[in-house]
């Protein structure tokens, strides 16, 4: 009941603790009505100020001037009803009213200008400086476009007063002025104190982060732009008081080519379409929406479903028309009110902007809506070196000849040409009839080549079953074309692929009839083979065919078949290439068999793999084809590495890179470089590993190798960069890896990359960015149209997110994540101790959020889980934290409860078996004594507290070197209790002197410095 002033004051205090939003505003309005019932207006004054604050921060600018008029009347009639703080805020709110009047186009400009005159009169009469008045006049000038420079000079040259905007907000206005003048660099320099957090307030840095997004993009400071979007958007999403900032984040997404992310933001902020309390901010929001939708429309995606005002379904095209009409109306209303075209001009300037990057800026986020339109699908990252996309000839005959030439060289660009050949044959743009015969050779050859490349593409996308069928088809066609070496090569590869599939038939039953019709796949891969032994036997038979062919179709180029005639002088080389491909396939099969044996390869399989690898290398050297020598070395390196001989593996890979260089085929170097980089990371040599990975990526892009595994290579590069302390580079590379894994439909790898990314961001002090990345993973996991990551992996994401939220002091959201995770892991039959850990974390987070009833329930849940699956360290830590938090929330009134928690911690530790491994008894015992010392000291029970601190020191002493730092901290607490609580300064100095010497002897200079500062303080007394 709100029938007494005290009850209303208590309700006002409760409402003040709520976050800004509709509930706080509605409650503030109700409390104003309740306060009007009392004779003394002091309650009404407080209620009106609370309502002003609610309106200001939720964007209800239409209502604010009316409330302030009531306040001003009370100030004029009963100033004694205002406390000193409330009197200050009467003058402070003059500024809010000015900006509120500017927000509403129906308010005449003369009224706004007259208000600033009235504000000046009030300030001068009260003896306040008029710099805040000059600031308001500058805001009017900036809004209308009239007299901006003069107004800026009058404001910027006046000294600040206690009624000036806070330093952080003034810095934002100064920087925004520089952005309007076109000086992005100076603006970003001016923003420095806000961005390094030396200046901050309730609006900063989130407001400035939104305004700096485009200047950062325009100046190439992409890492900061990414960070400001990740951290800043979290602080403004869904808030009716930050519509402008949401619009700027939408614009950023469009101009950084992250339209999918923009559609997510649109969906999260759908209620803002109905928020009209701040028309100017609403116009800025709508303009940001329009920039995004216009990008989609221009890219041909007007039909994409998007989130718009409630009540109907929208596409990008229909919402664009709706938003454009509404925004045009608002802009025209402001320009009519102002008598200038400034608002409309600025709007048109924003709409005229085009993307500032050639490729999407990797944000590290999982965009759930990215599949709604092709424009929102991430494109490949820009190459770190000049990219060379293979030229596709227009003439069909030239196109085929060029594809064959690149094939013979093993150039990856051939694949692009074969794709185009297939397209032209399918869509009818190839010559009719196709000039087979003298120009292109027999039709069977071209069909075989296309089948072979289709097999390869299927294999690269893990459609191995289909790939095997295409290889069999290619083999039969090559036979009919008179190309026996190519037919043998195709059959051998098909059979070798069966090893990769654990013995799956190289000739699937479903395709047997089709393969026979295409040319009769005989022997080898054409026969049903289900076991590794059968595959080996089949490969041996094919190798005997190869020995026969060396006589029937020798490498000298004799006895050319119909399909081989076009090779001319290169026929011998072409046959040799296929022969070595046969040997490579046999080595590959042996390697796969050895590496997939469980629990470890047998001696026989290892010997077989080594023998076939040796044969490949020997024959490649004899025929002077060094790129196949490099292949053999890669097999040898992999086997050596898996066997633990890292030095031999490294030597083989370095030699392989030499073979690649000798072959004159630089495009073959990316894979051995990436393999060597992984090995060097295992040997803790990240610097060279990073160089190799950069070059591998550059070469793959330069030579149009679209099949090179860029996603895992970027992930490894991010890992190497983080080891080198290059956190910016690690963030870029891991973000790129995650986006590419998304593209490839590999959710587990994408999630793992984002977990690594979040770890790097957190370690580099960007915890808010890390939280944004993890939130996107969980949000994306709810998308039923996309492949979901592994449940255990998602649990790890939720755990990391919860801890990140806790580190950001967002305790209630952290607790909610811990509770969700606890419900998930409660069903796990294995790892039951994890449930105990998560339940304990949830309890502590709830206590930190001051939700004590829920915290006690979670506490009991954790204890019950511990009884079933012990997790002694977490339960003991939970009890210690409850003791600390109880004293913080209840002071000495909570002493008994806090001590009870510590007694429970003692009982937990007493129950730990002495032979328990991976449990530091000394540390856990010391932590309980340490916490009890602080609890007792907080209750002025200093003698008992000192005894507990000394017990903590003794416990840490048992930890040896590992106990050095906690021992120093416990000694510091003991000295504080001794010197300040018990007033025994000399004893405290003696204690500190001894511990300082111990710390310095152990090389703990920072700890020694902290203790010495306290010692010097005591000595000065």
């Amino acid at each position: 009941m709100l029938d007494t002033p005290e009850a209303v004051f208590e309700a006002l205090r409760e409402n003040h603790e709520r976050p800004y939003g509709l509930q706080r505003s509605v409650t503030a309005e109700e409390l104003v009505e309740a306060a009007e019932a009392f004779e003394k207006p002091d309650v009404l004054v407080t209620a009106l100020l609370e309502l002003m604050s609610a309106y200001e921060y939720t964007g209800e600018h239409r209502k604010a001037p009316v409330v302030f008029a009531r306040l001003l009347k009370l100030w004029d009639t009963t100033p004694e009803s205002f406390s000193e703080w409330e009197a200050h805020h009467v003058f402070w709110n003059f500024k809010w009213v000015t900006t509120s009047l500017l927000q509403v186009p129906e308010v005449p400009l003369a009224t706004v200008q007259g208000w600033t005159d009235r504000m000046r009169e009030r300030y001068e009469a009260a003896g306040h400086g008029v710099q805040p008045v000059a600031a308001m006049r500058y805001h009017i000038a900036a809004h209308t476009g009239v007299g901006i420079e003069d107004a800026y000079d009058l404001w910027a040259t006046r000294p600040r007063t206690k009624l000036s905007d806070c330093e952080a907000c003034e810095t934002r206005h100064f920087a925004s002025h520089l952005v309007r003048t076109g000086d992005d660099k100076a603006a970003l320099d001016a923003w420095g104190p806000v961005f390094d957090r030396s200046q901050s307030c309730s609006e900063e840095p989130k407001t400035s982060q939104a305004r700096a997004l485009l200047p950062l993009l325009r100046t190439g400071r992409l890492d900061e732009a990414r960070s400001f979007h990740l951290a800043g958007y979290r602080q403004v999403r869904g808030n009716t008081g930050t519509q402008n900032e949401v619009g700027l984040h939408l614009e950023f997404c469009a101009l950084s080519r992250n339209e999918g992310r923009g559609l997510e933001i649109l969906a999260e902020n759908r209620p803002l379409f109905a928020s009209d309390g701040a028309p100017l901010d609403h116009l800025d929001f709508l303009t940001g929406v329009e920039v995004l939708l216009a990008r989609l429309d221009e890219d041909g995606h007007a039909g994409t479903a998007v989130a718009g005002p409630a009540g109907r379904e929208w596409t990008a095209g229909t919402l664009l028309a709706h938003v454009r009409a509404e925004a045009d109306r608002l802009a025209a209303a402001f320009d009519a009110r102002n008598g200038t075209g400034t608002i409309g001009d600025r709007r048109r300037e924003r709409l005229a902007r085009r993307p500032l990057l050639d490729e999407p800026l990797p944000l590290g986020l999982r965009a759930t809506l990215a599949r709604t339109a092709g424009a929102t699908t991430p494109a490949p990252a820009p190459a770190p070196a000049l990219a060379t996309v293979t030229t596709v000839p227009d003439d069909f005959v030239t196109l085929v000849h060029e594809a064959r030439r690149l094939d013979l060289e093993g150039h990856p660009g051939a694949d692009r040409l074969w794709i185009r050949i297939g397209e032209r044959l399918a869509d009818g743009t190839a010559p009719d009839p196709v000039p087979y015969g003298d120009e292109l050779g027999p039709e069977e050859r071209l069909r075989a080549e296309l089948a072979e490349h289709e097999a390869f593409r299927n294999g690269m996308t893990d459609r191995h079953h289909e790939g095997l069928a295409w290889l069999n088809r290619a083999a039969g066609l090559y036979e009919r074309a008179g190309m026996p070496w190519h037919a043998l090569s195709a059959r051998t590869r098909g059979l070798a692929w069966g090893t990769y599939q654990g013995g799956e038939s190289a000739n699937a039953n479903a395709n047997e009839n089709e393969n026979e019709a295409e040319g009769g796949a005989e022997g080898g891969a054409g026969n049903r083979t289900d076991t590794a032994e059968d595959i080996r036997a089949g490969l041996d038979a094919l190798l005997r065919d190869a020995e026969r062919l060396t006589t029937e179709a020798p490498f000298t180029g004799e006895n050319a078949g119909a399909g081989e005639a076009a090779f001319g002088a290169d026929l011998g080389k072409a046959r040799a290439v296929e022969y070595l491909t046969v040997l490579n396939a046999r080595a590959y099969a042996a390697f796969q068999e050895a590496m997939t044996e469980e629990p470890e390869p047998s001696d026989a399989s290892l010997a077989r793999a080594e023998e076939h690898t040796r044969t490949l290398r020997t024959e490649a050297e004899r025929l002077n084809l060094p790129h196949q020598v490099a292949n053999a070395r890669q097999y040898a390196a992999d086997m050596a590495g898996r066997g633990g001989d890292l030095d031999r593996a490294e030597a083989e890979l370095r030699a392989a890179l030499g073979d690649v260089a000798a072959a004159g085929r630089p495009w073959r170097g990316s894979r051995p470089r990436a393999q060597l980089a992984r090995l060097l990371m295992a040997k803790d040599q990240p610097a060279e590993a990073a160089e190799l990975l950069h070059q591998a990526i550059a070469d793959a892009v330069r030579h149009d190798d679209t099949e090179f595994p860029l996603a895992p290579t970027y992930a490894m590069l991010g890992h190497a960069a983080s080891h080198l302390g290059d956190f910016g580079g690690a963030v870029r590379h891991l973000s790129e890896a995650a986006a590419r894994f998304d593209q490839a439909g590999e959710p587990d790898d994408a999630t793992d990359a984002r977990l690594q990314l979040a770890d790097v961001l957190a370690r580099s002090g960007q915890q808010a960015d890390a939280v944004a990345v993890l939130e996107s993973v969980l949000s994306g996991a709810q998308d039923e149209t996309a492949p979901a990551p592994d449940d255990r992996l998602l649990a790890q994401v939720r755990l990391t997110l919860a801890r990140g939220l806790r580190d950001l002091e967002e305790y209630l959201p952290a607790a909610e994540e811990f509770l969700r995770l606890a419900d998930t892991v409660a069903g796990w039959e294995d790892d039951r101790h994890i449930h105990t850990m998560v339940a304990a974390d949830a309890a502590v987070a709830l206590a930190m959020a001051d939700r004590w009833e829920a915290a006690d329930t979670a506490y009991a849940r954790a204890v019950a889980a511990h009884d079933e699956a012990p997790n002694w360290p977490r339960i003991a830590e939970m009890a210690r934290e409850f003791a600390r938090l109880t004293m913080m929330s209840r002071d000495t009134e909570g002493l008994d409860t806090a001590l009870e928690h510590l007694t429970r911690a003692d009982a937990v530790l007493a129950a730990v078996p002495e032979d328990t491994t991976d449990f530091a008894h000394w540390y856990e015992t010391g932590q309980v004594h340490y916490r009890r010392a602080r609890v007792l000291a907080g209750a002025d029970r200093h003698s008992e507290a000192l005894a507990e601190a000394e017990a903590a020191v003794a416990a840490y002493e048992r930890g040896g070197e590992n106990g050095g730092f906690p021992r120093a901290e416990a000694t510091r607490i003991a000295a504080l209790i001794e010197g300040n609580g018990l007033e025994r300064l000399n004893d405290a100095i003696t204690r500190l002197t001894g511990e300082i010497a111990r710390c310095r002897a152990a090389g703990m200079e920072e700890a020694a410095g902290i203790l010495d500062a306290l010692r010097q303080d005591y000595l000065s007394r």
Side-chain angles (χ1 to χ4, degrees), residues 861-943:
R861 177 181 184 176
V863 170
H866 174 73
D867 291 340
E868 180 183 344
N871 192 326
W872 297 286
R874 301 302 291 169
I875 294 298
E877 182 183 11
M878 177 182 72
R880 295 194 304 267
E881 279 295 280
F882 264 65
R884 179 181 71 86
L885 295 168
T886 297
M887 291 296 290
M888 285 180 60
S889 65
R890 297 171 58 188
D891 200 13
T892 55
E893 294 179 5
L895 176 63
D896 290 342
T897 302
L899 291 175
E900 286 174 11
H901 285 301
L902 293 172
T903 299
R904 292 192 190 103
D906 285 331
V908 168
L909 299 182
V912 180
E914 284 297 325
D915 59 350
T916 301
T917 59
D918 298 326
F919 184 83
H921 290 268
W922 62 268
Y923 176 77
E924 296 295 339
T925 301
Q927 288 291 87
V928 176
H929 285 303
Y930 172 82
R931 180 53 53 197
R932 189 177 283 114
R934 300 204 63 164
V935 166
L936 291 167
D940 293 334
R941 289 165 59 170
H942 300 301
S943 296

Side-chain angles (χ1 to χ4, degrees), residues 376-611:
T376 64
T377 302
L386 293 177
T388 302
V389 176
T390 305
T391 302
V392 181
D394 292 329
D395 178 72
F396 187 77
V397 173
T398 305
L399 174 62
V400 174
H401 285 317
E402 181 63 8
R404 288 171 174 171
R405 183 187 71 80
L406 293 178
D407 249 356
L408 188 59
E409 294 299 318
H411 195 292
D415 194 52
R416 189 182 299 276
L417 303 189
W418 286 115
I419 291 172
R420 183 57 185 147
I421 292 167
E423 290 172 348
R424 292 191 61 176
L425 287 170
D427 65 18
T429 59
D432 187 16
V434 177
Y436 295 116
D438 291 341
E439 290 195 73
L440 294 180
E443 178 182 353
E444 288 83 0
R445 175 180 177 178
L446 185 59
R447 292 171 62 196
E449 290 164 325
L450 289 167
E452 193 171 30
H453 281 83
E454 187 64 31
F456 180 70
R457 283 192 293 276
N458 276 275
M460 289 303 296
T461 54
D462 293 333
R463 297 193 299 271
H464 301 289
H465 193 82
E466 295 88 339
L468 294 172
W470 280 107
L471 272 177
N472 281 339
R473 181 183 304 179
L477 288 165
Y478 277 131
E479 286 283 5
R480 291 169 57 183
M483 303 176 69
W485 276 111
H486 287 73
L488 180 64
S489 171
R491 287 200 179 95
T492 309
R493 279 177 283 148
L495 195 53
W497 280 12
T499 311
Y500 182 82
Q501 294 183 293
E504 180 178 328
S505 170
N507 179 21
N509 287 337
N511 294 299
E512 283 178 349
N513 294 334
E514 184 179 18
N515 291 337
E516 291 171 2
E518 285 285 5
E522 299 173 0
N527 295 326
R528 179 79 183 182
T529 55
D530 291 322
T531 67
E533 291 79 6
D534 290 336
I535 289 174
R536 288 199 300 272
L539 288 170
D540 288 342
L542 290 172
L543 261 292
R544 289 192 291 272
D545 288 344
E547 292 171 3
R548 173 179 54 80
L549 279 178
T550 56
T551 301
E552 296 176 359
F555 305 147
T556 56
E558 300 166 14
N559 304 330
E564 294 179 318
F567 283 111
D570 287 331
L571 176 56
K573 176 182 177 181
R575 287 174 171 176
V577 166
E578 297 305 316
Y579 166 62
L580 287 176
T581 301
V582 169
L583 295 181
N584 194 344
R586 184 176 65 162
Y588 169 81
F591 170 78
Q592 285 292 337
E593 183 183 348
M595 293 302 103
T596 55
E597 280 188 350
E598 296 292 346
E600 60 183 25
S602 66
D603 292 341
S605 63
L606 283 174
R608 193 162 40 245
E610 290 172 358
E611 176 192 352

